[in-house]
Amino acid sequence: MAERERILIVDDETSIRKLLHQKLSRQGYHCEEAGSAEEALEKMRANPAELMILDIKMPGKSGIELLPEIKGKYADTAVIMATALTEAGIAIQCMKQGADDYICKPFNLEEIALSVDKTLEKRRLELQIREYQEHLQEKVDQQTKEIRRLFLGAIEALVFALEAKDEYTAGHSRRVTKIALAIGKEVGLPKDAIEDLRWGSLLHDVGKIAVDQSIQNKPSRLTSDEYQHIMIHAQVGAGIVKPVVNDRVVEMIEHHHDHYDGSGLHQTVAGEDIPLGARILAVADAFDAMTSDRPYRPAMTVEEALREIKRCVDTQFDPVVARAFLKISSSLPTVEGSQATASKTSKTRRVR
Ligand SMILES: [Fe+2]
């Protein structure tokens, strides 16, 4: 409804302001007046109008000078320039600079009312379109997030199903995630990196879907070919999750078996060039693997596994990450409740 829209009439001539004020008030608009550019700015600061009728020629700051300032500060305020007939060229120039319309002096009050109605109607439509577009974008963003969440949830369920099939790996990804997140917090990762680490940890072994179960569950030492076959899971897993996670998570999964000193299988990077998430995952993954029973060996005790991590600092593991893990290891619920507590007698150190 037009009744609530406010119009600020800016003109140095009182009689013109009164004339426009009367006419537009009768049309149902709420009008205010300003006799100069400075007064107009003051009134806009206090309460921005939806429409400004702005005289081009005024003593002090002119309407032409005020126009860009108004459009810059109050983009949603429509502006109609008021000009003498002889200044039509200047008025057109103003339109190019963002004015919505112009009216010529001497005024035809009916034409002015028409211009005001038309300009405010155009403004209303523009605001509605913008609001619609913003909501549309918000809706698209929400749905994209939801699709991603559902897809990641499905992959996560697949990982848990894969693990559940095998008594030796049941719960591995969830435990690794708990440990990795605790390390991530200890080394001071920011919130978004923690979220990446959570997904990287939960999904790190999804590529095992491509691994031959008979090799994975082989109760004896693997041949070199068999070991190479198992290790493809890092690359395969990165490929599976690539369409729905960011590059940081993909790289984390791809490099989670990299050794800090570069001695891992088919390793392309070493040291700090291995993504930090992957270096964290490597420690968490190794600890949980060592403290869990495997077909070819019983679980190590927590103490043995911690000693093994310590022994591999600087070679297999990033020293900063490994030390952060060793520092927090006693307070990890996973450590207290891991399979290792039930297997205190193990002596085997082979980890797959
Ligand atoms: Fe793995």
Side-chain angles (χ1 to χ4, degrees), residues 158-167 169-174 205:
L158 176 72
V159 170
F160 297 157
L162 266 174
E163 288 179 359
K165 246 175 51 175
D166 179 349
E167 60 173 303
T169 55
H172 169 69
S173 296
R174 279 194 180 106
D205 271 346

Side-chain angles (χ1 to χ4, degrees), residues 28 30 129-130 167 176 203 235 244 310:
H30 176 76
I129 290 170
R130 193 174 68 196
E167 60 173 303
V176 167
L203 307 179
Q235 201 70 41
V244 279
K310 228 179 267 178

Side-chain angles (χ1 to χ4, degrees), residues 181-206:
L181 292 185
I183 300 173
K185 282 174 193 156
E186 180 64 24
V187 297
L189 286 188
K191 209 175 156 197
D192 56 340
I194 288 281
E195 185 59 12
D196 291 340
L197 186 59
R198 194 170 81 81
W199 282 113
S201 308
L202 281 171
L203 307 179
H204 73 281
D205 271 346
V206 69

Side-chain angles (χ1 to χ4, degrees), residues 324-344:
F325 168 71
L326 292 168
K327 192 174 159 199
I328 58 163
S329 59
S330 58
S331 59
L332 282 172
T334 314
V335 172
E336 287 157 17
S338 73
Q339 292 183 21
T341 51
S343 308
K344 301 265 182 202

Side-chain angles (χ1 to χ4, degrees), residues 310-334:
K310 228 179 267 178
R311 192 181 68 79
C312 297
V313 165
D314 275 329
T315 52
Q316 187 171 349
F317 305 121
D318 175 343
V320 174
V321 171
R323 282 187 199 114
F325 168 71
L326 292 168
K327 192 174 159 199
I328 58 163
S329 59
S330 58
S331 59
L332 282 172
T334 314

